[in-house]
Amino acid sequence: ISACLVGSEMCIRDRSDVKGDINCDGKADVTDLSVMCLAMIGDLTLDDGQITICDVDESGKFDMADLAHYKSYLSGVRKEL
């Protein structure tokens, strides 16, 4: 069980099994990328579990490379996260 961002509210849900699903809605989509962008610029604070989910390139840190990786997935360049 983890705290997940839904809209602008935090709620408790079972952690999603979908890679990159930061808001725990069962899919990796532009909403999750938006959350990542807000966190990257400091407008949103994520907990450790959410930061781990943001590390979609599995480099061990959440950084701009994760945003690029996610964007390329959403645009169809990558077939999976």
Side-chain angles (χ1 to χ4, degrees):
I1 297 179
S2 68
C4 293
L5 184 72
V6 178
S8 61
E9 300 293 321
M10 293 297 287
C11 66
I12 304 299
R13 293 192 178 176
D14 291 334
R15 188 166 303 278
S16 175
D17 291 331
V18 177
K19 185 175 182 181
D21 182 17
I22 300 157
N23 67 351
C24 300
D25 67 353
K27 58 189 178 226
D29 58 18
V30 70
T31 302
D32 300 296
L33 180 61
S34 296
V35 170
M36 291 173 71
C37 290
L38 289 171
M40 185 61 65
I41 64 172
D43 284 353
L44 184 67
T45 302
L46 302 177
D47 64 30
D48 290 340
Q50 290 168 314
I51 291 170
T52 299
I53 293 169
C54 288
D55 180 23
V56 294
D57 68 357
E58 300 176 351
S59 66
K61 60 186 176 199
F62 169 48
D63 57 17
M64 293 298 289
D66 295 298
L67 296 177
H69 188 102
Y70 213 115
K71 182 181 174 198
S72 67
Y73 165 72
L74 292 177
S75 67
V77 172
R78 291 181 185 272
K79 299 301 177 202
E80 56 186 51
L81 272 176

